[in-house]
Amino acid sequence: MEKEEGACCSTHVLLLPFPAQGHMNPLFQFSKRLASKGLKVTLATTTFIAKTMKSHPGSLIVDPISNGFDEGGIAEAGDMNIYLERFEAVGSRTLAELIEKQSHGCPVKCLIYDSHIPWALDVAKKLGTVGASFFTQSCAVDLIYYNASRGLLSTPVQGPTVTIPGLPLLEVNDLPSFVYCALGPYATFFRQFSDFEKADWLLFNSFNKLEVVKWMSKKWRIKTIGPTVPSMYLDKRMEGNTDYGIDIFHLDADACVKWLDTNETSSVVYVSFGTATILGEEQMEEVAWGLKRSNSYFLWVVRESEEKKLPSKFVEETSEKGMVVTCCPQLEVLAHQAVGCFMTHCGWNSTLEALSLGVPMVAMPQGTDQTTNGKFVVDVWEVGLRVRVDEKGIVRREDIELCIKEVMEGEKGKVIKRNVKKWKEMAKEAVDEGGGSDKNIEEFIAGLVCE
Ligand code: UDP
């Protein structure tokens, strides 16, 4: 039930997302949900990210903490391990200072920290604050990382298939890439589980019917609170809404939405590979010509850093059917009736957003957890098709064309559309009043109030 704003001091929660878009979005949306239920909410973010954010309406306070890289964030560090080490050293101090500063007015009752910032739990415990770890990946992916971190899955994994209790039979290539190839920064992903059992709450951006929650709940006190997609999108697109989530992008919503408004229902393929995935030049060309060959209308997000890889004259040659933008308000786009299919890298947010808004997918995972999400999209939830990768590791234009046509117009597409509609309803049911995720959020809040 939504409650009046003007929260009582005993229920002040501080949220600390990992400073990357894919982590900030779900925690920001969750912040808003907690605020709508009457809690006083502060969102702590790094000084660097805070500088790029616009001000936010409503009851949220955004408070910056230094992590030692105030001018350029991760780019300033130049290396992820250096960044993480300094973030922990400086961040532990500045986070504690922020919590202590708040104690003079409205003390922080609970710190909800991104599971990728595990040291935040020590800060919470030292200051006598409840600690809740928030997982921004799928339950299935976290279960795999947990198994790998505990040596229950020796890495790199030998194929062809892997059995993990609670999960469907997986091929080695379905595992997150950091697990099946020896190259990734394992530590970053496995550190989430270093002390997670000591956290007071384990919150997951997922919903019970979607995943292996029943199996995991037997072992841990996990609570699904998702999808964090705001209800106004789950219900329908709201006229005049300009609250697109966390605006690190300075999104130009109008241009995309106006263009979508000119297109017919379910006629547009929306294409995005998220905020960090880098495609090779050859792959970029294949995607471009695959889109052209599909003969569909398309809206393609190509980040500025990727633009130079577009084939020359592609934008001009396809301007009648396509629009290429450097970023867009994805929730707004996915909720638009003109969008008939989402060609995605299967980042967890994108996957969950598409599923919750009932948009069929063409899955083109590139690595990290995307490979596992892609497996679930295609074989478990049956809400999309996956493109085929050739022996050179490239997805060819013919296959992109084929998958888009099949999802948009083919027989498989009909089944996919029926399935995704069903999942959309279940996602909405989970967060509606009395649904599984809503009850979990109420239980979490009640636990804090009673502390
Ligand atoms: N996003 C957006 N506009 C864009 C690209 C991405 O709003 O142009 C949002 C998207 O809705 C999602 C997040 O950024 O919430 C990307 O997260 P995801 O987990 O899908 O991928 P990542 O960027 O972490 O690889």
Side-chain angles (χ1 to χ4, degrees):
M1 199 194 351
E2 309 248 318
K3 291 178 187 140
E4 290 280 302
E5 280 180 17
C8 119
C9 282
S10 60
T11 50
H12 181 185
V13 293
L14 184 90
L15 288 96
L16 177 67
F18 189 83
Q21 184 79 16
H23 293 253
M24 298 200 63
N25 275 7
L27 271 141
F28 181 67
Q29 300 296 3
F30 188 52
S31 301
K32 290 198 292 188
R33 187 153 181 120
L34 293 178
S36 78
K37 284 182 179 281
L39 298 191
K40 177 179 162 67
V41 181
T42 302
L43 189 76
T45 188
T46 60
T47 309
F48 174 66
I49 296 277
K51 279 186 205 164
T52 68
M53 285 167 69
K54 289 182 181 170
S55 59
H56 294 286
S59 53
L60 284 191
I61 303 158
V62 179
D63 242 330
I65 58 165
S66 175
N67 68 349
F69 295 107
D70 297 348
E71 298 309 316
I74 295 173
E76 188 185 344
D79 175 276
M80 191 47 121
N81 287 327
I82 295 174
Y83 181 79
L84 291 174
E85 264 172 41
R86 187 126 178 245
F87 189 6
E88 177 165 355
V90 179
S92 296
R93 181 172 47 77
T94 53
L95 176 64
E97 281 165 8
L98 178 63
I99 295 176
E100 278 172 332
K101 185 180 90 183
Q102 305 277 357
S103 71
H104 302 303
C106 191
V108 174
K109 190 94 194 202
C110 174
L111 173 67
I112 303 175
Y113 61 94
D114 194 309
S115 61
H116 284 269
I117 314 178
W119 48 261
L121 181 62
D122 297 335
V123 176
K125 293 284 165 197
K126 271 186 202 136
L127 298 174
T129 305
V130 174
S133 186
F134 187 105
F135 290 78
T136 55
Q137 288 142 358
S138 78
C139 294
V141 163
D142 284 310
L143 191 56
I144 296 169
Y145 283 145
Y146 169 80
N147 276 277
S149 73
R150 292 293 189 273
L152 302 170
L153 192 67
S154 54
T155 52
V157 181
Q158 306 300 320
T161 55
V162 190
T163 308
I164 298 176
L167 295 181
L169 186 70
L170 297 172
E171 288 183 22
V172 170
N173 288 350
D174 298 328
L175 295 172
S177 58
F178 293 138
V179 176
Y180 71 72
C181 73
L183 300 171
Y186 293 139
T188 318
F189 290 86
F190 294 178
R191 272 163 27 119
Q192 298 178 88
F193 302 98
S194 52
D195 258 346
F196 84 119
E197 281 134 328
K198 292 189 189 145
D200 299 292
W201 297 88
L202 301 173
L203 308 174
F204 284 77
N205 185 18
S206 189
F207 56 98
N208 290 350
K209 287 188 179 161
L210 187 65
E211 291 202 80
V212 290
V213 176
K214 216 170 165 183
W215 192 92
M216 286 171 83
S217 321
K218 285 187 204 146
K219 287 173 76 103
W220 304 292
R221 282 201 326 144
I222 80 161
K223 294 276 170 224
T224 50
I225 52 76
T228 54
V229 176
S231 300
M232 62 195 173
Y233 290 108
L234 296 174
D235 291 335
K236 63 179 164 59
R237 217 190 100 204
M238 273 189 31
E239 275 314 310
N241 168 51
T242 52
D243 188 0
Y244 306 120
I246 202 149
D247 195 355
I248 300 176
F249 288 128
H250 302 293
L251 305 169
D252 179 11
D254 275 5
C256 297
V257 174
K258 273 188 192 139
W259 183 79
L260 286 173
D261 284 343
T262 64
N263 285 288
E264 287 179 15
T265 303
S266 301
S267 65
V268 175
V269 183
Y270 167 58
V271 188
S272 170
F273 298 99
T275 57
T277 297
I278 296 170
L279 296 187
E281 209 159 304
E282 190 179 357
Q283 184 60 84
M284 196 79 166
E285 252 191 59
E286 294 299 321
V287 172
W289 299 128
L291 282 173
K292 184 155 193 270
R293 287 172 66 121
S294 78
N295 209 25
S296 282
Y297 288 84
F298 65 87
L299 172 64
W300 184 7
V301 176
V302 180
R303 297 191 313 276
E304 254 170 60
S305 54
E306 296 279 279
E307 267 178 325
K308 57 183 177 306
K309 297 179 199 164
L310 281 169
S312 63
K313 305 229 170 68
F314 173 77
V315 175
E316 295 86 328
E317 276 181 32
T318 54
S319 63
E320 276 189 18
K321 289 216 125 177
M323 182 174 188
V324 179
V325 293
T326 51
C327 64
C328 79
Q330 184 162 297
L331 282 172
E332 187 76 1
V333 167
L334 287 174
H336 198 288
Q337 58 182 15
V339 173
C341 156
F342 180 16
M343 184 163 164
T344 170
H345 70 312
C346 299
W348 183 236
N349 295 300
S350 295
T351 303
L352 203 51
E353 288 163 8
L355 186 127
S356 308
L357 295 168
V359 182
M361 286 171 255
V362 169
M364 190 169 147
Q366 298 297 298
T368 64
D369 60 330
Q370 300 152 19
T371 31
T372 314
N373 300 337
K375 162 77 181 171
F376 275 72
V377 163
V378 177
D379 295 328
V380 180
W381 307 317
E382 298 180 64
V383 292
L385 292 182
R386 184 169 175 170
V387 286
R388 202 176 55 81
V389 181
D390 76 2
E391 55 292 340
K392 276 181 74 192
I394 303 284
V395 176
R396 295 295 165 194
R397 60 192 76 179
E398 296 79 8
D399 202 51
I400 292 170
E401 173 193 357
L402 199 78
C403 285
I404 291 176
K405 283 186 172 161
E406 190 58 44
V407 170
M408 295 287 272
E409 306 148 16
E411 284 308 306
K412 284 186 194 154
K414 284 187 191 148
V415 178
I416 286 172
K417 282 172 199 155
R418 273 202 299 275
N419 288 339
V420 80
K421 193 163 171 261
K422 198 180 70 187
W423 284 112
K424 175 186 169 169
E425 280 157 16
M426 283 192 264
K428 182 168 151 39
E429 189 185 287
V431 288
D432 272 353
E433 194 177 335
S437 296
D438 186 61
K439 272 193 199 151
N440 285 340
I441 296 172
E442 291 287 350
E443 201 185 309
F444 170 64
I445 293 172
L448 294 183
V449 173
C450 295
E451 280 272 335

